[in-house]
Amino acid sequence: MSTTFGIIDQVTFDTVEIARRVGKRTDKSAVTITALGELSLFILKNMDPETVVVAMDNSSQGIHTIGDIINHPGFVEIDWNLIPTGFGVC
């Protein structure tokens, strides 16, 4: 089961996709969460950890804030193999 997470742009009110959770086991977790490219990783590392995230295509599965993403034991900065084609391209 996978979920894409986003944040709400406070100017346009669009949802900006920043991370994806997939059921790929790591040595620390049964799932992996990865940033969706360099800009997404910058957002995750520099915004307030209490910033609320939106589960875009599934349930939140316990992820509610940026802090939940970056502190998750399955978080990897960028795993290009888990990112659908077209993400992270500037």
Side-chain angles (χ1 to χ4, degrees):
M1 182 179 297
S2 63
T3 305
T4 303
F5 294 96
I7 57 170
I8 305 298
D9 182 307
Q10 297 300 307
V11 175
T12 65
F13 300 104
D14 292 333
T15 304
V16 179
E17 297 171 338
I18 59 167
R20 185 152 180 83
R21 176 195 182 276
V22 296
K24 180 181 175 189
R25 181 171 292 282
T26 68
D27 58 336
K28 298 178 183 175
S29 176
V31 298
T32 299
I33 301 177
T34 186
L36 294 176
E38 288 94 352
L39 182 57
S40 297
L41 183 59
F42 179 83
I43 290 169
L44 288 167
K45 287 186 166 187
N46 290 283
M47 286 193 74
D48 182 347
E50 295 302 314
T51 301
V52 173
V53 296
V54 178
M56 299 176 64
D57 53 7
N58 207 331
S59 64
S60 65
Q61 302 175 51
I63 304 294
H64 303 286
T65 66
I66 285 179
D68 292 338
I69 293 172
I70 60 175
N71 294 316
H72 190 281
F75 178 68
V76 294
E77 290 191 351
I78 300 177
D79 184 336
W80 292 109
N81 295 319
L82 300 179
I83 301 172
T85 304
F87 282 96
V89 178
C90 296

Coordinates of all heavy atoms in Angstrom, one line a residue:
M1 N 0.8 -1.2 0.0 CA 0.0 0.0 0.0 C 0.9 1.2 0.0 O 1.8 1.3 0.8 CB -0.9 0.0 1.2 CG -1.8 1.1 1.3 SD -2.9 1.1 2.7 CE -3.8 -0.4 2.5
S2 N 0.6 2.2 -0.9 CA 1.4 3.4 -0.9 C 0.6 4.6 -0.7 O -0.6 4.6 -0.9 CB 2.2 3.5 -2.3 OG 1.2 3.6 -3.3
T3 N 1.2 5.7 -0.3 CA 0.6 7.0 -0.1 C 1.5 8.1 -0.5 O 2.7 8.0 -0.2 CB 0.2 7.2 1.4 OG1 -0.6 6.0 1.9 CG2 -0.6 8.4 1.7
T4 N 1.0 9.1 -1.2 CA 1.7 10.3 -1.5 C 1.3 11.4 -0.5 O 0.1 11.5 -0.3 CB 1.4 10.7 -3.0 OG1 1.7 9.7 -3.8 CG2 2.2 12.0 -3.3
F5 N 2.2 12.1 0.0 CA 2.0 13.1 1.0 C 2.3 14.5 0.4 O 3.3 14.6 -0.4 CB 2.8 13.0 2.3 CG 2.4 11.7 3.0 CD1 3.1 10.5 2.9 CD2 1.3 11.8 3.9 CE1 2.7 9.4 3.5 CE2 0.9 10.6 4.5 CZ 1.6 9.4 4.4
G6 N 1.5 15.5 0.7 CA 1.8 16.8 0.2 C 1.6 17.9 1.3 O 1.1 17.6 2.4
I7 N 1.9 19.1 0.9 CA 1.6 20.3 1.8 C 0.8 21.2 1.0 O 0.9 21.2 -0.3 CB 2.9 20.9 2.3 CG1 3.8 21.4 1.2 CG2 3.7 20.0 3.3 CD1 5.0 22.3 1.6
I8 N 0.1 22.1 1.7 CA -0.7 23.1 1.0 C 0.1 24.4 0.8 O 0.6 24.9 1.8 CB -2.0 23.4 1.8 CG1 -2.8 22.1 2.1 CG2 -2.9 24.4 1.1 CD1 -3.3 21.4 0.9
D9 N 0.2 24.8 -0.5 CA 0.9 26.1 -0.8 C 0.0 27.2 -0.3 O -1.2 27.3 -0.6 CB 1.0 26.2 -2.3 CG 1.8 27.4 -2.7 OD1 1.4 28.5 -2.3 OD2 2.7 27.3 -3.5
Q10 N 0.6 28.0 0.6 CA -0.2 29.1 1.3 C -0.5 30.2 0.4 O -1.3 31.1 0.8 CB 0.5 29.6 2.5 CG 0.7 28.5 3.6 CD -0.6 27.9 4.1 OE1 -1.5 28.6 4.5 NE2 -0.7 26.6 4.0
V11 N 0.0 30.3 -0.8 CA -0.3 31.3 -1.8 C -1.4 30.9 -2.8 O -2.4 31.5 -3.0 CB 1.0 31.8 -2.6 CG1 0.6 32.8 -3.6 CG2 2.0 32.4 -1.6
T12 N -1.1 29.7 -3.4 CA -2.1 29.2 -4.4 C -3.1 28.2 -3.9 O -4.1 28.0 -4.6 CB -1.3 28.5 -5.5 OG1 -0.7 27.3 -5.0 CG2 -0.2 29.4 -6.1
F13 N -2.9 27.7 -2.7 CA -3.7 26.7 -2.1 C -3.7 25.4 -2.9 O -4.6 24.5 -2.7 CB -5.1 27.2 -1.8 CG -5.2 28.4 -0.9 CD1 -5.4 29.7 -1.5 CD2 -4.9 28.3 0.4 CE1 -5.4 30.8 -0.6 CE2 -4.9 29.4 1.2 CZ -5.1 30.6 0.7
D14 N -2.7 25.2 -3.7 CA -2.5 23.9 -4.4 C -1.8 23.0 -3.4 O -1.1 23.4 -2.5 CB -1.6 24.1 -5.6 CG -2.3 24.9 -6.7 OD1 -3.5 24.9 -6.8 OD2 -1.6 25.5 -7.5
T15 N -2.0 21.7 -3.7 CA -1.2 20.7 -2.9 C 0.1 20.4 -3.6 O 0.1 20.0 -4.8 CB -2.1 19.4 -2.7 OG1 -3.3 19.8 -2.1 CG2 -1.4 18.4 -1.8
V16 N 1.2 20.5 -2.9 CA 2.5 20.2 -3.5 C 3.0 18.9 -2.9 O 3.1 18.7 -1.7 CB 3.5 21.3 -3.1 CG1 4.9 21.0 -3.6 CG2 3.0 22.7 -3.5
E17 N 3.2 17.9 -3.8 CA 3.6 16.6 -3.4 C 5.0 16.6 -3.0 O 5.9 17.1 -3.6 CB 3.4 15.6 -4.6 CG 2.0 15.5 -5.0 CD 1.8 14.7 -6.3 OE1 2.8 14.6 -7.1 OE2 0.7 14.2 -6.5
I18 N 5.3 16.0 -1.8 CA 6.6 16.1 -1.2 C 7.2 14.7 -0.8 O 8.5 14.6 -0.7 CB 6.7 17.0 0.0 CG1 5.8 16.5 1.1 CG2 6.5 18.5 -0.4 CD1 6.0 17.2 2.5
A19 N 6.4 13.7 -0.6 CA 7.0 12.4 -0.1 C 6.0 11.3 -0.5 O 4.8 11.5 -0.7 CB 7.1 12.4 1.4
R20 N 6.6 10.1 -0.5 CA 5.8 8.9 -0.9 C 6.2 7.8 0.1 O 7.4 7.6 0.4 CB 6.1 8.5 -2.3 CG 5.3 7.3 -2.8 CD 5.1 7.4 -4.3 NE 4.4 6.3 -4.8 CZ 3.0 6.3 -4.9 NH1 2.4 7.3 -4.4 NH2 2.4 5.3 -5.4
R21 N 5.2 7.1 0.6 CA 5.3 6.0 1.5 C 5.0 4.7 0.7 O 3.9 4.7 0.1 CB 4.4 6.1 2.7 CG 4.4 4.9 3.6 CD 3.1 5.0 4.5 NE 3.1 3.9 5.5 CZ 2.7 2.7 5.2 NH1 2.2 2.3 4.0 NH2 2.7 1.7 6.2
V22 N 5.9 3.8 0.7 CA 5.7 2.5 0.0 C 6.0 1.3 0.9 O 6.7 1.5 1.9 CB 6.5 2.4 -1.3 CG1 6.1 3.4 -2.3 CG2 8.0 2.5 -1.0
G23 N 5.4 0.2 0.6 CA 5.6 -1.0 1.4 C 6.9 -1.7 1.1 O 6.9 -2.9 0.9
K24 N 8.0 -1.0 1.1 CA 9.3 -1.6 0.9 C 10.1 -1.7 2.2 O 10.4 -0.7 2.8 CB 10.1 -0.8 -0.1 CG 11.5 -1.4 -0.4 CD 12.3 -0.5 -1.4 CE 13.7 -1.0 -1.6 NZ 14.5 -0.1 -2.4
R25 N 10.4 -2.9 2.6 CA 11.1 -3.1 3.9 C 12.5 -2.5 3.9 O 13.2 -2.7 2.9 CB 11.1 -4.6 4.3 CG 11.7 -4.9 5.6 CD 11.5 -6.3 6.0 NE 10.1 -6.6 6.3 CZ 9.5 -6.3 7.4 NH1 10.2 -5.7 8.4 NH2 8.3 -6.6 7.6
T26 N 12.9 -1.9 5.0 CA 14.3 -1.5 5.3 C 14.7 -2.3 6.5 O 14.0 -3.0 7.1 CB 14.4 0.0 5.5 OG1 13.8 0.3 6.8 CG2 13.7 0.8 4.4
D27 N 16.0 -2.1 6.9 CA 16.5 -2.7 8.1 C 15.8 -2.1 9.3 O 15.9 -2.7 10.4 CB 18.0 -2.7 8.2 CG 18.6 -1.3 8.1 OD1 17.9 -0.4 7.6 OD2 19.7 -1.1 8.6
K28 N 15.2 -1.0 9.2 CA 14.6 -0.3 10.4 C 13.1 -0.2 10.4 O 12.5 0.1 11.4 CB 15.2 1.1 10.5 CG 16.7 1.2 10.7 CD 17.1 2.7 10.7 CE 18.6 2.7 10.8 NZ 19.1 4.1 10.7
S29 N 12.5 -0.6 9.3 CA 11.0 -0.4 9.2 C 10.4 -1.3 8.1 O 11.1 -1.7 7.2 CB 10.7 1.1 8.8 OG 9.3 1.3 8.6
A30 N 9.1 -1.6 8.2 CA 8.4 -2.4 7.2 C 8.1 -1.6 6.0 O 7.6 -2.1 5.0 CB 7.2 -3.0 7.8
V31 N 8.2 -0.3 6.1 CA 7.9 0.6 5.0 C 9.0 1.6 4.8 O 9.8 1.8 5.7 CB 6.5 1.4 5.2 CG1 5.4 0.4 5.3 CG2 6.6 2.3 6.4
T32 N 9.0 2.2 3.6 CA 10.0 3.3 3.3 C 9.2 4.5 2.9 O 8.2 4.5 2.2 CB 10.8 2.9 2.0 OG1 11.5 1.7 2.4 CG2 11.8 3.9 1.7
I33 N 9.7 5.7 3.4 CA 9.2 7.0 3.0 C 10.3 7.7 2.4 O 11.4 7.8 2.9 CB 8.6 7.8 4.2 CG1 7.5 7.0 4.9 CG2 8.1 9.1 3.7 CD1 7.0 7.7 6.1
T34 N 10.1 8.3 1.1 CA 11.2 9.0 0.4 C 10.7 10.3 -0.1 O 9.5 10.5 -0.4 CB 11.7 8.2 -0.8 OG1 12.8 8.8 -1.4 CG2 10.6 7.9 -1.8
A35 N 11.6 11.3 -0.1 CA 11.2 12.6 -0.7 C 11.1 12.4 -2.2 O 11.7 11.5 -2.8 CB 12.4 13.6 -0.4
L36 N 10.3 13.3 -2.8 CA 10.0 13.1 -4.3 C 11.0 14.0 -5.1 O 10.5 14.7 -6.0 CB 8.6 13.4 -4.6 CG 7.6 12.4 -4.0 CD1 6.2 12.8 -4.2 CD2 7.9 11.0 -4.6
G37 N 12.2 14.1 -4.7 CA 13.2 14.9 -5.5 C 13.9 15.9 -4.6 O 13.6 16.0 -3.4
E38 N 14.8 16.6 -5.2 CA 15.6 17.6 -4.4 C 14.8 18.7 -3.8 O 15.1 19.1 -2.6 CB 16.7 18.2 -5.3 CG 17.8 17.2 -5.7 CD 17.6 16.5 -7.0 OE1 16.5 16.7 -7.6 OE2 18.5 15.8 -7.4
L39 N 13.9 19.3 -4.5 CA 13.1 20.3 -4.0 C 12.2 19.8 -2.8 O 12.1 20.5 -1.8 CB 12.2 21.0 -5.0 CG 11.3 22.1 -4.6 CD1 12.2 23.3 -4.0 CD2 10.5 22.7 -5.7
S40 N 11.6 18.7 -2.9 CA 10.9 18.1 -1.9 C 11.7 17.8 -0.6 O 11.3 18.1 0.5 CB 10.2 16.7 -2.3 OG 9.3 17.0 -3.4
L41 N 13.0 17.3 -0.8 CA 13.9 17.1 0.3 C 14.2 18.4 1.0 O 14.2 18.5 2.2 CB 15.1 16.4 -0.2 CG 16.1 16.0 0.9 CD1 15.5 15.1 1.9 CD2 17.4 15.4 0.2
F42 N 14.4 19.5 0.2 CA 14.7 20.8 0.7 C 13.5 21.3 1.6 O 13.7 21.8 2.7 CB 15.0 21.8 -0.4 CG 15.2 23.2 0.1 CD1 16.5 23.6 0.6 CD2 14.2 24.1 0.2 CE1 16.7 24.9 1.0 CE2 14.4 25.4 0.7 CZ 15.7 25.8 1.1
I43 N 12.3 21.1 1.1 CA 11.1 21.4 1.9 C 11.1 20.6 3.2 O 10.9 21.2 4.3 CB 9.8 21.2 1.1 CG1 9.8 22.2 -0.1 CG2 8.6 21.3 2.0 CD1 8.7 21.9 -1.1
L44 N 11.3 19.3 3.1 CA 11.2 18.5 4.3 C 12.3 18.9 5.3 O 12.0 18.8 6.5 CB 11.4 17.0 3.9 CG 10.2 16.4 3.2 CD1 10.6 15.0 2.6 CD2 9.1 16.2 4.1
K45 N 13.5 19.3 4.9 CA 14.5 19.6 5.8 C 14.5 21.0 6.4 O 15.1 21.3 7.4 CB 15.9 19.4 5.1 CG 16.3 18.0 5.0 CD 17.7 17.8 4.4 CE 18.2 16.4 4.5 NZ 19.6 16.4 4.2
N46 N 13.7 21.9 5.7 CA 13.8 23.3 6.1 C 12.4 23.9 6.6 O 12.4 25.0 7.2 CB 14.3 24.1 4.9 CG 15.7 23.9 4.7 OD1 16.6 24.4 5.4 ND2 16.0 23.1 3.7
M47 N 11.3 23.2 6.5 CA 10.1 23.7 7.0 C 9.9 23.2 8.4 O 10.5 22.3 8.9 CB 8.9 23.2 6.2 CG 8.8 24.0 4.8 SD 7.3 23.8 4.0 CE 6.1 24.7 5.0
D48 N 9.1 23.9 9.2 CA 8.7 23.6 10.5 C 8.3 22.1 10.6 O 7.4 21.7 9.9 CB 7.7 24.5 11.0 CG 7.3 24.3 12.5 OD1 7.6 23.2 13.1 OD2 6.6 25.1 13.0
P49 N 8.8 21.3 11.5 CA 8.4 19.9 11.6 C 6.9 19.7 11.9 O 6.4 18.7 11.7 CB 9.3 19.3 12.7 CG 10.5 20.2 12.8 CD 10.0 21.6 12.3
E50 N 6.3 20.8 12.5 CA 4.9 20.7 12.8 C 4.0 21.0 11.7 O 2.8 21.0 11.8 CB 4.6 21.6 14.0 CG 5.3 21.2 15.3 CD 5.0 19.8 15.7 OE1 3.8 19.4 15.7 OE2 5.9 19.0 16.1
T51 N 4.6 21.3 10.5 CA 3.8 21.6 9.3 C 2.9 20.4 9.0 O 3.4 19.3 8.8 CB 4.7 22.0 8.1 OG1 5.4 23.1 8.5 CG2 3.8 22.3 6.9
V52 N 1.6 20.6 8.8 CA 0.7 19.5 8.5 C 0.9 19.1 7.1 O 1.0 19.9 6.2 CB -0.8 20.0 8.8 CG1 -1.8 18.9 8.3 CG2 -1.0 20.3 10.2
V53 N 0.9 17.7 6.9 CA 0.9 17.2 5.5 C -0.5 16.5 5.3 O -1.2 16.2 6.2 CB 2.0 16.1 5.4 CG1 3.4 16.8 5.5 CG2 1.9 15.0 6.3
V54 N -0.8 16.4 4.0 CA -2.0 15.8 3.5 C -1.7 14.5 2.8 O -0.8 14.4 2.0 CB -2.7 16.8 2.5 CG1 -4.0 16.2 1.9 CG2 -2.9 18.2 3.1
A55 N -2.5 13.5 3.2 CA -2.4 12.2 2.5 C -3.3 12.4 1.2 O -4.5 12.6 1.3 CB -2.9 11.1 3.4
M56 N -2.6 12.2 0.1 CA -3.3 12.6 -1.2 C -4.1 11.5 -1.8 O -5.1 11.7 -2.5 CB -2.3 13.2 -2.1 CG -1.6 14.5 -1.6 SD -0.4 15.1 -2.6 CE -1.3 15.6 -4.0
D57 N -3.6 10.2 -1.7 CA -4.2 9.2 -2.5 C -4.5 7.9 -1.7 O -4.7 6.8 -2.2 CB -3.4 8.8 -3.7 CG -1.9 8.5 -3.4 OD1 -1.6 8.5 -2.2 OD2 -1.1 8.4 -4.3
N58 N -4.5 8.1 -0.3 CA -4.7 6.9 0.5 C -4.9 7.5 1.9 O -4.9 8.7 2.1 CB -3.5 6.0 0.5 CG -3.9 4.5 0.9 OD1 -4.9 4.3 1.6 ND2 -3.2 3.6 0.3
S59 N -5.0 6.7 3.0 CA -5.1 7.2 4.3 C -3.8 7.6 4.8 O -2.7 7.3 4.3 CB -5.7 6.1 5.3 OG -4.8 5.0 5.3
S60 N -3.7 8.4 5.9 CA -2.5 9.0 6.4 C -1.6 8.0 7.0 O -0.3 8.2 7.1 CB -2.7 10.1 7.3 OG -3.4 9.6 8.5
Q61 N -2.1 6.9 7.5 CA -1.3 5.8 8.1 C -0.4 6.3 9.2 O 0.8 5.9 9.2 CB -0.6 5.0 7.0 CG -1.6 4.4 6.0 CD -1.0 3.8 4.8 OE1 -0.1 2.9 5.0 NE2 -1.4 4.1 3.6
G62 N -0.8 7.2 10.0 CA 0.0 7.7 11.1 C 0.9 8.9 10.8 O 1.6 9.4 11.7
I63 N 0.9 9.3 9.6 CA 1.8 10.4 9.1 C 0.9 11.7 9.1 O 0.0 11.7 8.2 CB 2.4 10.2 7.8 CG1 3.2 8.9 7.8 CG2 3.3 11.4 7.3 CD1 4.4 8.9 8.8
H64 N 1.2 12.7 9.9 CA 0.3 13.9 9.9 C 1.1 15.2 9.8 O 0.6 16.2 9.5 CB -0.4 13.9 11.2 CG -1.3 12.7 11.5 ND1 -2.5 12.5 10.8 CD2 -1.1 11.7 12.3 CE1 -3.0 11.3 11.2 NE2 -2.2 10.8 12.1
T65 N 2.5 15.1 10.0 CA 3.3 16.3 9.9 C 4.6 16.0 9.2 O 5.0 14.8 9.0 CB 3.6 16.9 11.3 OG1 4.5 15.9 12.0 CG2 2.4 17.2 12.2
I66 N 5.3 17.1 8.8 CA 6.6 16.9 8.2 C 7.5 16.1 9.2 O 8.3 15.3 8.8 CB 7.3 18.2 7.8 CG1 6.6 18.7 6.5 CG2 8.8 18.2 7.6 CD1 7.1 20.0 6.0
G67 N 7.4 16.5 10.5 CA 8.2 15.8 11.5 C 7.9 14.3 11.5 O 8.9 13.5 11.7
D68 N 6.7 13.9 11.3 CA 6.4 12.4 11.2 C 7.1 11.8 10.1 O 7.5 10.6 10.2 CB 4.9 12.2 11.1 CG 4.0 12.6 12.3 OD1 4.6 12.7 13.4 OD2 2.8 12.9 12.1
I69 N 7.3 12.5 9.0 CA 8.0 11.9 7.8 C 9.4 11.8 8.1 O 10.0 10.7 8.0 CB 7.7 12.8 6.6 CG1 6.2 12.7 6.2 CG2 8.6 12.4 5.4 CD1 5.9 13.7 5.0
I70 N 10.1 12.9 8.5 CA 11.5 12.9 8.6 C 12.0 12.1 9.8 O 13.2 11.7 9.8 CB 12.1 14.3 8.6 CG1 11.6 15.2 9.8 CG2 11.9 15.0 7.3 CD1 12.3 16.5 9.9
N71 N 11.2 11.9 10.8 CA 11.6 11.1 12.0 C 11.1 9.6 11.9 O 11.4 8.8 12.8 CB 11.0 11.7 13.2 CG 11.6 13.1 13.5 OD1 12.8 13.2 13.4 ND2 10.8 14.0 13.9
H72 N 10.4 9.3 10.8 CA 10.0 7.9 10.6 C 11.2 7.0 10.4 O 12.1 7.4 9.7 CB 9.1 7.8 9.4 CG 8.4 6.5 9.2 ND1 9.0 5.4 8.7 CD2 7.1 6.1 9.6 CE1 8.2 4.4 8.7 NE2 7.0 4.8 9.2
P73 N 11.3 5.8 11.0 CA 12.4 4.9 10.9 C 12.7 4.5 9.5 O 13.8 4.1 9.1 CB 12.1 3.8 11.8 CG 10.7 3.9 12.2 CD 10.3 5.3 12.0
G74 N 11.7 4.5 8.6 CA 11.8 4.1 7.2 C 12.1 5.3 6.3 O 12.2 5.1 5.1
F75 N 12.4 6.5 6.8 CA 12.6 7.6 5.9 C 14.0 7.5 5.3 O 15.0 7.3 6.0 CB 12.5 8.9 6.7 CG 12.8 10.2 5.9 CD1 12.0 10.5 4.9 CD2 14.0 10.9 6.1 CE1 12.3 11.7 4.1 CE2 14.3 12.0 5.4 CZ 13.5 12.4 4.4
V76 N 14.1 7.6 4.0 CA 15.3 7.7 3.3 C 15.2 9.0 2.5 O 14.1 9.4 2.0 CB 15.6 6.6 2.3 CG1 15.8 5.3 3.1 CG2 14.5 6.4 1.3
E77 N 16.3 9.8 2.3 CA 16.2 11.1 1.7 C 15.6 11.0 0.3 O 14.6 11.6 0.1 CB 17.6 11.8 1.7 CG 17.9 12.2 3.2 CD 19.1 13.1 3.2 OE1 19.8 13.3 2.2 OE2 19.4 13.6 4.3
I78 N 16.3 10.3 -0.6 CA 15.7 10.2 -1.9 C 16.1 8.8 -2.4 O 17.2 8.4 -2.5 CB 16.2 11.2 -2.9 CG1 15.9 12.6 -2.5 CG2 15.7 10.9 -4.3 CD1 16.5 13.7 -3.4
D79 N 15.0 8.0 -2.8 CA 15.2 6.7 -3.4 C 14.6 6.8 -4.8 O 13.4 6.7 -4.9 CB 14.6 5.6 -2.5 CG 14.9 4.2 -3.1 OD1 15.2 4.1 -4.3 OD2 14.9 3.2 -2.3
W80 N 15.4 7.0 -5.8 CA 14.9 7.3 -7.1 C 14.1 6.1 -7.6 O 13.2 6.3 -8.5 CB 16.0 7.6 -8.1 CG 16.6 9.0 -7.7 CD1 17.9 9.2 -7.2 CD2 16.1 10.3 -7.9 NE1 18.1 10.5 -7.0 CE2 17.0 11.2 -7.4 CE3 14.8 10.7 -8.4 CZ2 16.7 12.6 -7.4 CZ3 14.6 12.1 -8.4 CH2 15.5 13.0 -7.9
N81 N 14.3 4.9 -7.2 CA 13.6 3.7 -7.6 C 12.2 3.7 -7.1 O 11.4 3.0 -7.6 CB 14.3 2.4 -7.2 CG 15.7 2.3 -7.8 OD1 15.8 2.6 -9.0 ND2 16.7 1.9 -7.0
L82 N 11.9 4.5 -6.1 CA 10.5 4.5 -5.5 C 9.7 5.7 -6.0 O 8.5 5.8 -5.7 CB 10.6 4.6 -4.0 CG 11.3 3.4 -3.3 CD1 11.3 3.6 -1.8 CD2 10.6 2.1 -3.7
I83 N 10.3 6.6 -6.8 CA 9.6 7.8 -7.3 C 9.1 7.5 -8.7 O 9.8 7.2 -9.6 CB 10.6 9.0 -7.3 CG1 11.2 9.2 -5.9 CG2 9.9 10.2 -7.8 CD1 12.3 10.2 -5.8
P84 N 7.8 7.8 -8.9 CA 7.2 7.6 -10.2 C 7.8 8.5 -11.2 O 8.3 9.6 -10.8 CB 5.7 7.9 -10.0 CG 5.5 7.8 -8.5 CD 6.8 8.1 -7.9
T85 N 7.9 8.1 -12.4 CA 8.5 9.0 -13.5 C 7.9 10.3 -13.5 O 6.7 10.5 -13.4 CB 8.4 8.3 -14.8 OG1 8.9 7.0 -14.7 CG2 9.0 9.0 -15.9
G86 N 8.7 11.4 -13.7 CA 8.2 12.7 -13.8 C 8.4 13.5 -12.5 O 8.3 14.7 -12.5
F87 N 8.7 12.9 -11.3 CA 8.9 13.6 -10.1 C 10.3 14.0 -10.0 O 11.2 13.4 -10.5 CB 8.6 12.7 -8.9 CG 7.1 12.6 -8.6 CD1 6.4 11.5 -9.1 CD2 6.4 13.6 -7.9 CE1 5.0 11.4 -8.8 CE2 5.1 13.5 -7.6 CZ 4.4 12.4 -8.1
G88 N 10.6 15.2 -9.3 CA 11.9 15.6 -9.0 C 12.6 16.2 -10.2 O 13.8 16.5 -10.2
V89 N 11.9 16.5 -11.3 CA 12.5 17.1 -12.5 C 12.3 18.5 -12.5 O 11.1 19.0 -12.4 CB 12.0 16.4 -13.8 CG1 12.6 17.1 -15.0 CG2 12.2 14.9 -13.8
C90 N 13.3 19.3 -12.6 CA 13.2 20.8 -12.6 C 13.3 21.3 -14.0 O 14.1 20.9 -14.8 CB 14.2 21.4 -11.7 SG 13.9 21.0 -9.9

